[in-house]
Amino acid sequence: MAGTNSERQLLAEGPAIILVEPQMGENIGMVARAMANFGLAELRLVNPRDGWPNEKALATASKADHVIEATKVYDTLEQAVADLNFVYATTARERDGYKPVRSPVIAAETLRTRFRAGEGTGILFGRERWGLTNEEVALADEIVTFPVNPAFASLNIAQAVLLMSYEWMKSGMEDLGAVPFQAMGQTPSTKEQLFGLFDQLEEALDARGYFHPAGKKPKMVDNLRAVLSRRAFTEQEISVLRGVISSLDRFSRKSPRGGRFPTAAKETPPDDSADA
């Protein structure tokens, strides 16, 4: 969904995202976009198959140019993590070894704590087809894995980066229920406004013979009012409903808005004085 705004603060901090031997430029671009969405900016590539820079990566980054332009390329994974203090390796399958395995939530909180302490941190993501090797995982401090369908655990690399980037953003929020904008404020209607709606609707229905037979009208009116008063309307909603009723009252299907004569005009008796 659209939401780019160059006038607002651009978040660009947090752990380095390290892609090991990424194959497709399009995937790198989508990774950059996911990072930018959630305030990450440092992308490192280890021996990308199609070289760097990559026009396809730039095209699919969807204006995450600051991530693409700052991307660093390394020949080996050892070089890519050499300056970092703490690194996570992402994997969807169980590995041999004794490294702690964390959930994305715990991993993000750990990264946030270490980042605030001034440490260099990173997250490793493997190849599109088979992920990270055991030797590459061994270079990390801990493992992070996602709670996915066990029978369908494979994630696209950009999806995996998106999930971790989202958890990173959440780890820095004081209120997890906070949202970047609120619905427009509306004024609750008064009872007088609601009664006006009742009267207008009942008059319009009465004129069309809706309350039939006549003996059932009181009960039908009660039911109608019960439906309309089940929730508190706002002034704007009352105005919308009354506008609808006014349109139905003034125009018929045979003479809609834009026709020569509205219903009310057709129902006006002709003036015969000119024939006298």
Side-chain angles (χ1 to χ4, degrees), residues 149-164:
N149 182 349
F152 197 78
S154 177
L155 287 173
N156 174 279
I157 188 171
Q159 293 174 326
V161 171
L162 181 72
L163 289 174
M164 278 306 303

Side-chain angles (χ1 to χ4, degrees), residues 190-203:
T190 64
K191 293 302 181 185
E192 181 180 13
Q193 291 169 327
L194 186 59
F195 297 156
L197 172 64
F198 290 162
D199 292 341
Q200 182 184 6
L201 181 57
E202 288 164 19
E203 191 281 328

